[in-house]
Structure formats: C-alpha cells, structure tokens
Amino acid sequence: MAIFLKRSFSYRNFILLRNFANQTCNFSFSVNHFSHSWTSDTSPRFPLPPPDFIRETRRGFAKGRKSNESSTSMAEALPDIRPTIKANASSQMEASIVALSGELSKLRTGRASPGMLDHIIVETSGVKLPLNQIAAVSVLDSKTLSINPYDPSTLKNLETAIISSPLGVAPRVDGERLIAVIPPLTKEHIQAMCKLVTKCCEDSRQSIRRARQKAMDTVKKISSSYPKDDIKRLEKEVDELTKKFIKSAEELCKGKEKEITGG
C-alpha cells in the first residue's frame, strides 16, 4: 500500500494532473481572487483527477514490479561456474603431481630406472636435446641400463653426455648401443638424494596450496551471486581436493626415499 501511495504522488502523476487541469480550465488565480473564492458561500471547486489516473498509476507500479522480477530472473540465469572452478583447481594440482613425478625420476637410486637419464642434455649437430628424444633407454636388470640411439652416429655424443652428468655413471659401447652399469650409492649420496626428495615434496605442496588459494579467491568473488550453502560446499570440495593431492605428493616422495635407501 505504501508503495502504491508513493507512486500515486510521484512526479509522473503530478504531470498527468497538471495536463488535465490545463485542458479543462484556464486557471489564472490571483491572491485576491483566491481569498474571495474562499470566503464566498460557494465552496471552492477543484478538478477531479482524470479517469485514467488510477490506471496509469497502477500501470507504473506494474512496470516497476516487472523490472524487479526481470532483474531477479537475470540473477538466477547467471552461468554456474562452480564446476569450472573445481575443475581448474584439480587440473593445476594434478600438474603439480606430474611435475613432482618428473623431478623424482631424475634422482639416481641404487636401482636402474629408464627415467634417471631423461634430464641429460645431449648436443648433436649443434642442437641440444634431451636424451630421451635421441635414444631409447631400457632396463636389462636391476643394475644395468641399455641406451639405443635412434641415429647410430650420435652414439659418441650420448656417451660423452652421460659421463659428464652428475650421476657418476660410466657407460661402455656395445655395438650400436651403450651399456650403463649403475654403481651402488654411497652414504653421502643417499643423504643428498633424500634431501632433494624432501625439497621436491615441499615444492609440490606449495604449488598445490597456491592452486587452492587461487580457487578460493575466485570463490570469494562470486560468493554474493550464489546461495551461501552452495559456496560453503564448494570451499569444502576444494579443501578436500587439496588434501587428496598433498597426500599423493607425500606418498610419491616416501616411495622415492624408500627406493634410494633400499629400505
């Protein structure tokens, strides 16, 4: 009712009344005339509002209500980007695990592993390439690797690159391939490798937490556009993803330490 009265006395309705008054009577009041009219026996007469006055007022009220309803429907029609936020966070955390796995594979252990040579850079014909793009590495036994170059002419370059690496491996030529025997790790080497594993694990945890923080920042920006319960549910799901991927990183590192120490 209050809204209806407010709209009835709005500037728009005042214009309607004024126009009607100009059409029905040509008012030219002076102060004396007004006093005379007021003191006369005849009661003063004022023009009635036009027949369409109430209709126009209600129409204006209906238009205002429609605009509010349309704005509400537009808010409800916002695209639901919550699944996208969760998917992006999961993708970034997964990338952290993949990067961690790649770093751990570069660390030398007491057992032969094809991935332990992947980080070695070989220069051939003036071009520097990772070893795994020049040769295929396979395991002959727990202590021996076989390096088979795709181009036999790069055999010497492969041998030089492996000897120059910090792995401490000295391969020998066997026809058109190299045979690399993995020497046992010293106590100092084991300690150094375990420290590297710990560092890699912490770097991965930080990367996963950064992905979580980025997702939470996005959730905060959209929190006013979605129900509070849905926002809390999304935050909980992002936290669960964070715990899941941190646990995966820690398990990878524990497995690598066990492989290095031979435990």
Side-chain angles (χ1 to χ4, degrees):
M1 187 62 182
I3 296 175
F4 177 78
L5 291 174
K6 182 178 178 181
R7 292 186 176 276
S8 297
F9 292 100
S10 65
Y11 180 75
R12 177 175 175 274
N13 295 330
F14 171 75
I15 296 299
L16 286 173
L17 282 171
R18 190 185 66 179
N19 292 341
F20 175 76
N22 289 337
Q23 292 173 6
T24 56
C25 297
N26 190 7
F27 292 100
S28 57
F29 288 107
S30 64
V31 175
N32 294 331
H33 182 75
F34 179 78
S35 301
H36 174 73
S37 299
W38 186 259
T39 56
S40 64
D41 295 335
T42 306
S43 59
R45 296 180 180 179
F46 296 95
L48 293 174
D52 292 340
F53 175 74
I54 301 299
R55 186 189 308 164
E56 292 294 329
T57 301
R58 297 184 65 182
R59 184 180 300 173
F61 175 75
K63 287 182 178 179
R65 184 173 60 184
K66 182 181 285 188
S67 63
N68 291 336
E69 291 175 353
S70 63
S71 61
T72 304
S73 63
M74 286 179 63
E76 293 175 352
L78 284 173
D80 191 357
I81 64 172
R82 289 169 294 175
T84 303
I85 294 173
K86 184 179 176 182
N88 288 343
S90 179
S91 177
Q92 292 171 15
M93 293 176 186
E94 181 66 32
S96 299
I97 297 297
V98 172
L100 173 64
S101 181
E103 289 299 318
L104 294 179
S105 67
K106 298 176 183 178
L107 301 180
R108 179 193 157 193
T109 65
R111 296 178 61 84
S113 171
M116 65 189 303
L117 303 180
D118 287 351
H119 68 288
I120 296 177
I121 302 299
V122 182
E123 184 174 358
T124 174
S125 302
V127 179
K128 294 182 178 181
L129 296 170
L131 185 143
N132 59 3
Q133 294 185 15
I134 298 174
V137 181
S138 58
V139 177
L140 296 181
D141 57 50
S142 62
K143 299 290 183 181
T144 311
L145 291 174
S146 173
I147 301 99
N148 300 273
Y150 301 128
D151 182 358
S153 65
T154 62
L155 190 64
K156 188 65 178 176
N157 303 88
L158 283 167
E159 182 183 11
T160 302
I162 294 172
I163 292 173
S164 302
S165 72
L167 292 176
V169 178
R172 59 181 175 83
V173 178
D174 182 24
E176 293 185 349
R177 67 175 183 174
L178 295 174
I179 301 296
V181 177
I182 309 302
L185 294 174
T186 63
K187 184 178 180 180
E188 291 77 12
H189 200 138
I190 290 174
Q191 291 176 347
M193 291 297 102
C194 287
K195 287 182 179 179
L196 282 175
V197 171
T198 302
K199 183 180 182 302
C200 289
C201 188
E202 183 57 30
D203 290 344
S204 182
R205 277 196 291 256
Q206 290 180 3
S207 179
I208 293 169
R209 291 188 184 113
R210 283 194 296 270
R212 174 197 175 275
Q213 187 59 50
K214 186 176 180 180
M216 289 301 190
D217 290 343
T218 306
V219 171
K220 186 177 180 181
K221 290 179 182 178
I222 68 166
S223 59
S224 60
S225 302
Y226 294 92
K228 188 176 293 185
D229 290 343
D230 291 350
I231 293 297
K232 288 183 178 180
R233 189 182 303 111
L234 179 58
E235 289 175 343
K236 183 178 180 181
E237 289 173 352
V238 172
D239 281 334
E240 289 174 352
L241 277 176
T242 304
K243 292 177 183 177
K244 171 188 171 183
F245 281 102
I246 286 180
K247 183 178 179 181
S248 297
E250 291 173 346
E251 288 176 350
L252 275 175
C253 292
K254 285 179 182 179
K256 191 66 178 182
E257 284 183 356
K258 187 176 180 180
E259 186 180 345
I260 291 171
T261 57

